[in-house]
Every structure is written in C-alpha cells, then in structure tokens.
C-alpha cells in the first residue's frame, strides 16, 4: 500500500476512535459545558438552608467564587466575588454538597478525599483540580433555555431523606462504582448504567472509587429567585425528570413553571480505594461509607446552588454552541493552577481531614 494512502487511513482510524471514545455523551446542535472546580473550603456552613448559622447541622464541601459565606446576599454574586475556583473565569457561582466519610469497624471516621475527574474533550484543567468536582450545564441550543438571573438559588435533594421516594430518583441522584483504576467501567451516561449506577451507596468495594452525580430541575416559574424550601420555584418537565444526555433539558415545562433553564449536573469522584480492606469494614459486612448528613443509604445526597455568572456570560454560553467541554463561546478560561489562589476562611474550625470519633454535628 502506498505510504500516503496508509497515512490517510491511519488518520481516519484515529479520528473514528477519538469520536467514539466518550459513548456516554451524544453530539448535536446543543451545548454541554463540562468544567472542573477546585475546592474553595470544607466547612460546616450552609448559606442557603441555614443562613448565618455557624455551625450548620452537617459538613459541606464547596466550590466556586469567594463570595461564599455563612450568608450570601440575594444580589448579583457575579459582582460580589473577586475570584473563583472554577475553570471558567466568569463563573463566580457557588456549588456545594455533603461530604462522604468512611466509618471503620472500631467506629472512628475519616473524610473520603475527592480527586480530579477524567480528561474529556482535551480539558486539562479538570485533571489538575484540588478536591472539588466537575460541573455540567446543558442547553438544547440557541434560544432554547434562559440563563439564571442574579440572586437565583436552588436546592435539589433532601439532607434528611433516608428512604426511597416512590419509584426512586436514580436518574437524578446516583453513585457509580468504578470497576478499576482510571475510572474503570465509565462507559454509560451518568446514572444510566444498570449494573454500576445505584441510587444508594454501593454495597461492595469499588476498585476505582465511587462517583456521585446530582442533577437539578430544568423548569422555572420565571419570577421567583428563591422559595421558602429553595425548591418550589423550580420543577421538572411534564413528562418527568430528564435523564442526562448532554444534549437535552427534557420535555415541555408545566404551565406553573413555563421557563426552560439549563440542566445543571454535579459530578464528584470520591477516592475510596484506601478503604477497600474488608477487614476494616463493619463486622456484619455492610458497606462502611456514610454521608456527612449521617446517612448510610445515600438517599440524602443533595446539592445547593447559588448563581453567580458574570453579566450575560452564561446566556452567551448556552446560546453560543454547539460546543462541548470547557471551551465555549469565547468565554474566558482560567490558567491552570490559578484557581488555587482563590480562598475563603473556614468559619467553623474543626478536624476536617484526620480521624474523628463522630460525624461533625452528629451524635454518632
């Protein structure tokens, strides 16, 4: 075979492999932002559910802008913050979730560290984050979604939930049990692997760690920036919550919440591999991990969000596709490592990294 033809065939083969290397994500005319955020603090505060309360009932891990505090004013957070731990320089939003802990056979506990997520779409930043997690925003295409407004905030999930709701909400909150190192078994779309994804914490040792996915509603009443329960001003489409595809925010919105908003998903990788020795697990063989809410089931997994994108940057991103990953619509990107200089003080000092006798804020 002539050398030029051989080289051409090799090039076409490599492009085909690259195009099929991420089967969990579809392509099209839509936009899917996927970007990493380093941890800005671990603290027992919750400005959404327990504003001004120090300490809050349970521990959280927080990413995003440095306007984070025990209370965050209902104002333009994009103007209040001066730095962010996220790769998009104009995203001063705050995102936070419960932490995951390992409870040893002797009853002592240790916080499970978060590690950087896998590289996708040539995004090196996400692979170098310190703690934290990955954030996704999905738009069906230009003019199809309305970006959040200054002061907007919402909560998904319930920190007190310890039982299954109805038929479950696995499509919106799940845990993936990696089968080996380097994100082993990570092939299906989030929360859609029938074997590796569960609504509850995995019951077996996960050789590559555990991943959390938390998805938010995609419909808004168009008026309220918040609601007393931080949930009622948003809703799911008429045909139910939208599974994550990376291309769609779901079906038509209900008349009470007619405005389609971007689909947000949080994705956290917990490095549980140091805790896989079954000799350290409970004597009855049950899984040893517990959320900082005190929940061993995983049903209390939840995510808090305070919008803080600067100006019209998020709307431009949602309309500026098609684009995928951490580069879109000319949005400013942080230099790798620069986000680690963005910090906030810990408001309730306590042992966040060593072995402890009971969960922070809990009696056990």
């Amino acid at each position: 075979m002539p050398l030029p033809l051989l080289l051409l065939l090799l090039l076409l083969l490599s492009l085909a492999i690259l195009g099929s290397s991420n089967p969990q994500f579809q392509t099209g005319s839509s936009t899917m932002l996927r970007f990493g955020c380093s941890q800005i603090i671990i603290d027992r505060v919750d400005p959404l559910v327990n504003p001004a309360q120090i300490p809050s009932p349970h521990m959280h891990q927080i990413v995003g802008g440095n306007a984070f505090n025990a209370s965050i004013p209902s104002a333009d957070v994009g103007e209040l913050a001066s730095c962010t731990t996220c790769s998009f320089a104009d995203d001063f939003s705050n995102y936070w979730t419960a932490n995951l802990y390992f409870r040893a056979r002797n009853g002592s506990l240790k916080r499970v560290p978060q590690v950087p997520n896998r590289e996708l779409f040539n995004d090196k930043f996400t692979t170098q984050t310190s703690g934290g997690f990955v954030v996704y925003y999905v738009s069906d295409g230009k003019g199809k979604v309305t970006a959040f407004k200054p002061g907007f905030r919402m909560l998904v999930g319930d920190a007190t939930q310890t039982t299954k709701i109805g038929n479950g909400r696995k499509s919106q909150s799940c845990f993936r049990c990696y089968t080996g190192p380097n994100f082993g078994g990570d092939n299906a779309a989030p929360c859609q692997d029938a074997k590796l994804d569960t609504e509850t914490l995995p019951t077996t040792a996960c050789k590559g760690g555990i991943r959390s996915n938390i998805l938010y509603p995609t419909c808004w009443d168009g008026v309220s920036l918040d609601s007393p329960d931080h949930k009622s001003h948003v809703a799911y489409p008429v045909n139910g919550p939208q599974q994550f595809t990376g291309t769609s925010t779901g079906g038509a919105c209900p008349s009470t919440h007619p405005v389609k908003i971007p689909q947000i998903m949080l994705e956290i990788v917990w490095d549980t591999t140091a805790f896989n020795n079954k000799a350290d697990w409970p004597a009855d063989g049950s899984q040893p991990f517990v959320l900082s809410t005190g929940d061993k089931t995983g049903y209390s997994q939840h995510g808090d969000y305070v919008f803080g994108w600067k100006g019209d940057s998020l709307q431009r991103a949602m309309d500026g596709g098609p684009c995928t990953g951490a580069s879109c619509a000319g949005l400013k990107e942080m230099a790798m490592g620069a986000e680690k200089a963005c910090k906030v003080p810990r408001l309730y000092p306590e042992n966040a990294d060593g072995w402890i006798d009971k969960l922070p804020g809990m009696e056990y």
Side-chain angles (χ1 to χ4, degrees):
M1 182 182 293
L3 184 60
L5 180 58
L6 176 61
L7 291 174
L8 177 60
L9 288 174
L10 288 173
L11 175 61
L12 291 174
L13 178 61
S14 65
L15 289 174
I17 292 172
L18 179 63
S20 63
S21 60
N22 304 311
Q24 66 266 54
F25 300 112
Q26 302 174 15
T27 57
S29 60
S30 57
T31 286
M32 183 188 79
L33 303 185
R34 177 192 185 268
F35 57 97
C37 299
S38 283
Q39 207 163 73
I40 196 167
I41 197 68
I42 292 174
D43 208 346
R44 195 133 60 92
V45 291
D46 188 337
L48 189 58
V49 178
N50 306 107
Q53 182 177 331
I54 304 175
S56 64
H58 60 269
M59 188 77 86
H60 293 99
Q61 53 115 1
I62 304 102
V63 305
N66 67 341
F68 185 82
N69 209 323
S71 295
I72 300 178
S74 297
D76 190 343
V77 173
E79 296 298 326
L80 296 177
S82 59
C83 67
T84 180
T85 65
C86 296
S87 68
F88 283 118
D90 285 338
D91 183 12
F92 298 100
S93 307
N94 285 118
Y95 316 81
W96 64 98
T97 77
N99 294 92
L100 185 67
Y101 284 81
F102 169 75
R103 189 189 299 275
R105 183 171 296 193
N106 65 5
S108 60
L109 299 112
K110 188 172 176 61
R111 185 177 63 83
V112 177
Q114 294 115 262
V115 292
N117 210 318
R118 66 185 294 191
E119 180 183 339
L120 292 175
F121 316 115
N122 199 33
D123 171 21
K124 305 292 185 184
F125 185 101
T126 289
T127 67
Q128 302 296 317
T129 53
S130 176
F133 47 83
V134 164
V135 179
Y136 293 75
Y137 284 78
V138 175
S139 163
D140 304 77
K142 186 174 182 179
K144 298 292 182 66
V145 301
T146 298
F148 310 101
K149 305 304 180 186
F152 182 89
R153 50 204 62 197
M154 63 177 166
L155 167 70
V156 65
D158 184 341
T160 66
Q161 192 70 37
T162 56
T163 57
K164 189 173 185 176
I165 300 174
N167 293 324
R169 57 187 191 102
K170 177 188 166 186
S171 71
Q172 304 298 296
S173 175
C174 72
F175 301 90
R176 177 163 293 181
C177 183
Y178 287 130
T179 58
N182 301 315
F183 315 99
D186 187 23
N187 299 313
C191 300
Q192 294 169 57
D193 190 303
K195 183 177 180 182
L196 301 182
D197 290 336
T198 52
E199 188 177 352
T200 55
L201 285 160
T203 56
T204 59
C206 299
K207 296 179 180 178
I210 297 173
R211 189 183 79 191
S212 288
N213 286 92
I214 303 169
L215 287 78
Y216 289 79
T218 54
C219 299
W220 175 44
D221 67 12
V223 177
S224 307
L225 300 176
D226 196 3
S227 50
D229 63 357
H230 315 295
K231 298 178 181 182
S232 299
H233 60 309
V234 292
Y236 293 105
V238 173
N239 60 355
Q242 170 66 14
Q243 288 189 326
F244 189 85
T245 63
T247 63
S248 173
T249 56
C253 287
S255 59
T256 55
H257 297 75
V259 180
K260 187 59 72 74
I261 50 179
Q263 183 181 51
I264 298 178
M265 180 173 73
L266 311 182
E267 188 169 82
I268 309 119
V269 180
W270 309 101
D271 185 8
T272 58
T273 56
F275 309 109
N276 280 347
N277 184 355
K278 289 290 188 72
D280 297 327
W281 286 30
D284 63 2
S286 61
Q287 72 86 16
F289 297 104
V290 57
L291 293 172
S292 56
T293 57
D295 170 32
K296 279 194 65 175
T297 67
Y299 288 123
S300 72
Q301 180 165 250
H302 60 286
D304 299 71
Y305 174 64
V306 172
F307 171 75
W309 285 75
K310 196 171 185 67
D312 66 347
S313 54
L314 181 59
Q315 190 67 62
R316 285 190 286 111
M318 297 293 91
D319 290 341
C323 52
T324 304
S327 181
C328 186
L331 295 184
K332 291 168 54 180
E333 299 171 34
M334 297 275 283
M336 195 178 300
E339 86 288 354
K340 293 172 185 176
C342 188
K343 301 181 184 300
V344 297
R346 180 170 288 159
L347 299 177
Y348 189 72
E350 60 189 325
N351 186 353
D353 297 304
W355 287 95
I356 52 179
D357 295 328
K358 58 184 181 180
L359 288 171
M362 304 289 161
E363 295 303 319
Y364 49 90

